[in-house]
Amino acid sequence: VKKIIAMATDESLPGSRMKDGFLSFSQMQKRRSIHKERSDKQLLVLWHSNEKIRRFASALATHQQMTHLLAKNDVPRLRLMLARCLDRGMSPQKMLVQLNLTIQGRYKPRTEVTTDELDNAEHALILGGPRSLHALQHSHGFLSKSTILQNRPRPRFVTSWGSTAERTTIQLNMRRFALALALPVASRAIHHL
């Protein structure tokens, strides 16, 4: 009986090769939890390796598609398009989409932007907002919002929250807004948010 009690409380038995019939209920639970932990670790390792293989296969497929497209098509302004993609930090999948758009003629990277194009796109952005500009960009080839803000930075105003404003603050705001340096007639301060 002492031997049976000693075996039932022995902590090393669940990890041993002893048959299940000779183990107590608590030892069997411990053995099952040990086996479950081992299988979970193995499944996790297998899942990670499958994920790595899947990512590698996806990158390889994207690379092969890009190589095939470049071999079959003459892409206009290829260097400029790739430079823009790399500047923006695009993933290879997005670069492939951009390459397809360039081959189809729906994307043409520009080397220079004229002031008329900037004016038209800026007016569309001011009057219609970013959604209107996006729609005009796809339908009429307007410039994007990032191009507008890159070439024409927005004026930044000095805000004043009081009922009075200093003369220098008003003059600075007027200069930045490219208006005349005449002071406003109203006694309240100009507030810009």
Side-chain angles (χ1 to χ4, degrees):
V1 174
K2 288 181 182 179
K3 189 175 181 184
I4 293 173
I5 293 173
M7 283 178 56
T9 57
D10 191 6
E11 294 293 324
S12 63
L13 286 181
S16 68
R17 293 186 179 196
M18 185 175 277
K19 292 184 179 179
D20 293 345
F22 295 112
L23 298 176
S24 67
F25 182 74
S26 62
Q27 289 172 333
M28 282 298 297
Q29 281 183 330
K30 192 168 185 180
R31 180 176 273 183
R32 284 190 196 112
S33 66
I34 289 170
H35 287 305
K36 185 172 181 344
E37 286 175 11
R38 283 183 193 157
S39 65
D40 286 348
K41 284 180 185 177
Q42 290 172 350
L43 281 174
L44 189 63
V45 167
L46 181 66
W47 183 79
H48 280 300
S49 63
N50 285 341
E51 187 68 21
K52 285 180 183 177
I53 291 170
R54 187 191 63 76
R55 270 190 262 132
F56 181 72
S58 172
L60 184 63
T62 304
H63 183 266
Q64 287 175 344
Q65 287 176 346
M66 287 177 80
T67 307
H68 180 71
L69 284 174
L70 290 173
K72 294 254 178 187
N73 299 299
D74 182 28
V75 183
R77 301 183 188 164
L78 175 65
R79 285 186 181 174
L80 184 60
M81 188 271 304
L82 289 176
R84 294 257 170 101
C85 291
L86 291 174
D87 285 345
R88 293 176 183 157
M90 286 186 178
S91 67
Q93 288 83 9
K94 289 190 178 185
M95 286 176 78
L96 181 64
V97 170
Q98 203 72 6
L99 184 62
N100 277 325
L101 290 175
T102 306
I103 290 170
Q104 294 169 5
R106 293 172 47 198
Y107 173 72
K108 294 176 185 171
R110 302 178 184 186
T111 54
E112 293 181 7
V113 177
T114 64
T115 55
D116 289 340
E117 290 174 331
L118 268 174
D119 288 340
N120 292 340
E122 190 174 22
H123 291 148
L125 178 63
I126 291 169
L127 296 175
R131 288 184 180 180
S132 172
L133 179 65
H134 183 72
L136 288 170
Q137 182 182 0
H138 284 285
S139 63
H140 292 81
F142 274 43
L143 300 175
S144 65
K145 183 180 177 183
S146 61
T147 306
I148 295 169
L149 295 178
Q150 207 172 35
N151 290 303
R152 290 213 181 135
R154 290 278 178 248
R156 298 185 62 103
F157 297 107
V158 177
T159 57
S160 60
W161 296 99
S163 60
T164 61
E166 293 182 20
R167 186 178 182 89
T168 56
T169 304
I170 294 173
Q171 287 177 349
L172 181 64
N173 279 342
M174 293 296 185
R175 252 187 274 124
R176 286 187 178 171
F177 199 60
L179 295 175
L181 293 178
L183 291 174
V185 180
S187 61
R188 279 190 62 81
I190 299 172
H191 297 282
H192 298 282
L193 299 177

